[in-house]
Amino acid sequence: MQIGYASGNLGKSILWASFESFLLFYLVAIAGFSAWLAGGVLAAAMIWDGLADLAVAYGTDRHGKANALARLVLVGAPLGAIGFWLTFAPATGHAWPAIVAAILVCRLGYTLCDIGHNTLLVRVATGSRAASLVSGFRLIFSSIGGALVGIAAARLFGMRDVAAQREAFGICAAIAGALYLVTLLIAVGATRRLPAPSPVSAAAAAPGKTGRHLLRSLWRQPGYRLLLGLIAVQAGLLPAFNRALPFFGTAVRGDPAWAGYALATITLAQSLSLPLWMAASRHVGPARLLAAAHLLALVAMASMILLSFLHDEGWSRMSLVLLGTAQAGMNLAIWALLALSIQSRSPGQMRLEALPVGLFLAVLKCASGLGSSVIAVLVGSFRGWSYVAGGAIILPMMGCLAILTLLRRDPGAKRPPPAARTRISQ
């Protein structure tokens, strides 16, 4: 059941990695978009996606039935798969309205699946052992999906025949959409017999309270408020290097196809390092793991600066492996903190299942959209992509320092409460 549920992350990570790492470059260098238009479209799509997450999560908690989460996935998976294929399909051509419409359809489907699938984590991850296993399985499948995207991108960006390249993009997008649909259906099937929490809707638990009141009640929780700040910085600044990979490869290596191999190396390092992070999580709280991961990311980005000057293949691989290892720790720790914030409610508090996840995802995606727009601004403002490559290194380093500062200043983040530590350790 846990592996079946976690397999949904494979399809989701294929779409997410494509949007995060390569779609901006595809729109600018292949589809003929201006950098400003491409950046604006991606930022608007991500922000709209995040706000939709919040609305869907609130509606699910307030009016949803026991099978509401599965229904979200069953409706969203086909929309996401079809929209993703149409984004790259040769039939769409270079008509930007058709591509923008396909992106919005894909993001709508992704929104529904994201709320449904991620909220099911609260039901699957019951107890510390299950939580550690499920989180590890999720990230392993995510790493596999990211590696597949990297390998495909390396082949696609390396093609010189434009017509053949467009056709290959369409074929790969169709395969990716099918994987997205199939893996999410497997996840729904694997969790179909899990008992839902007590049917306590927001209206029953808090008569007369609106969505604004419920959001305020979440905001008043210091641990959850800190979590939102952490994910805003982590999603906005830390993935800048991944987002600029093709531009970085062109500026530093003279080859955009290098980005595909780089992403495959990063994701392989993520999957191989996960057992170490999972073992460490049994002895160290997620906040400390998060700090350690960001310190490691600082080292990785510093070594990336050496790579820019030395052009050494050994340094290149070592830097990418360190970055992938750091990203694995970041993702594991931040999702552990989210699960802690939801499961550590006192018995007297109402149990909102989807809304905390929805607000978390809304902040994550809005920050991600703004982060993508920063890279687009760099691309549109400078003729040479060396400035984009510099920003791809400087922005993650700024994000690491900001997160370490947040963790250091918040006393509650240094050591979770004893009850929470016993209940879940990721």
Side-chain angles (χ1 to χ4, degrees):
M1 183 269 292
Q2 292 169 357
I3 294 175
Y5 163 75
S7 68
N9 271 50
L10 190 151
K12 286 167 56 183
S13 71
I14 290 176
L15 267 63
W16 182 265
S18 300
F19 271 80
E20 278 282 277
S21 300
F22 298 111
L23 187 55
L24 178 62
F25 185 83
Y26 172 85
L27 293 178
V28 172
I30 296 176
F33 281 47
S34 70
W36 301 98
L37 176 59
V41 167
L42 293 183
M46 290 296 285
I47 292 172
W48 177 74
D49 187 350
L51 296 178
D53 273 333
L54 193 56
V56 171
Y58 173 68
T60 301
D61 266 339
R62 191 174 182 89
H63 305 294
K65 299 179 182 179
N67 61 346
L69 299 179
R71 288 184 177 181
L72 290 177
V73 176
L74 293 176
V75 173
L79 286 176
I82 294 171
F84 187 77
W85 169 65
L86 289 176
T87 300
F88 298 94
T92 309
H94 288 78
W96 71 264
I99 295 178
V100 170
I103 290 173
L104 293 178
V105 170
C106 180
R107 296 312 306 186
L108 173 61
Y110 194 94
T111 294
L112 299 176
C113 292
D114 222 16
I115 291 295
H117 184 260
N118 284 327
T119 307
L120 282 171
L121 173 65
V122 181
R123 301 183 187 177
V124 177
T126 55
S128 61
R129 181 177 294 274
S132 297
L133 285 174
V134 174
S135 294
F137 289 146
R138 277 170 55 101
L139 293 176
I140 288 171
F141 278 109
S142 294
S143 300
I144 295 171
L148 291 175
V149 171
I151 294 169
R155 298 295 299 272
L156 293 170
F157 287 134
M159 298 177 70
R160 296 293 177 258
D161 186 326
V162 177
Q165 187 184 50
R166 290 285 296 172
E167 185 178 354
F169 264 107
I171 293 172
C172 288
I175 295 172
L179 284 173
Y180 180 76
L181 177 62
V182 169
T183 55
L184 282 168
L185 292 180
I186 291 173
V188 169
T191 56
R192 68 188 184 280
R193 295 182 180 177
L194 281 178
S198 302
V200 180
S201 68
K209 287 195 173 182
T210 63
R212 186 173 61 180
H213 289 92
L214 297 174
L215 290 174
R216 282 181 179 175
S217 69
L218 287 173
W219 182 254
R220 290 192 189 102
Q221 300 172 28
Y224 188 78
R225 190 168 60 242
L226 172 69
L227 176 66
L228 295 182
L230 293 172
I231 194 57
V233 176
Q234 183 167 307
L237 297 178
L238 269 298
F241 183 77
N242 291 47
R243 292 175 185 134
L245 269 176
F247 302 103
F248 187 91
T250 304
V252 177
R253 314 285 296 204
D255 182 12
W258 175 85
Y261 297 113
L263 182 63
T265 302
I266 290 171
T267 53
L268 180 62
Q270 287 180 9
S271 60
L272 293 178
S273 64
L274 275 171
L276 298 177
W277 288 110
M278 292 169 67
S281 70
R282 296 181 177 273
H283 309 285
V284 181
R288 291 186 177 182
L289 283 183
L290 193 65
H294 284 86
L295 284 172
L296 185 59
L298 276 175
V299 175
M301 300 318 296
S303 64
M304 203 69 69
I305 296 174
L306 291 177
L307 160 67
S308 304
F309 291 104
L310 299 178
H311 299 278
D312 182 82
E313 191 65 29
W315 271 110
S316 170
R317 290 200 188 96
M318 180 59 66
S319 301
L320 295 173
V321 167
L322 288 176
L323 182 60
T325 303
Q327 288 179 359
M330 293 174 194
N331 292 330
L332 189 146
I334 203 74
W335 282 97
L337 288 172
L338 175 63
L340 274 172
S341 68
I342 297 174
Q343 293 186 350
S344 60
R345 305 288 176 84
S346 63
Q349 292 179 301
M350 60 180 163
R351 174 67 175 271
L352 294 175
E353 191 181 29
L355 188 60
V357 176
L359 181 56
F360 175 86
L361 292 174
V363 173
L364 184 157
K365 291 176 181 177
C366 289
S368 178
L370 294 175
S372 296
S373 67
V374 170
I375 300 297
V377 167
L378 291 175
V379 174
S381 302
F382 301 102
R383 292 184 180 179
W385 286 349
S386 57
Y387 294 97
V388 183
I393 293 177
I394 294 171
L395 291 174
M397 296 182 78
M398 292 171 56
C400 289
L401 293 173
I403 285 183
L404 291 171
T405 302
L406 285 173
L407 289 171
R408 184 176 180 83
R409 288 185 177 181
D410 190 274
K414 295 180 182 178
R415 190 171 181 82
R421 287 200 308 271
T422 0
R423 181 164 45 253
I424 177 171
S425 169
Q426 289 193 22

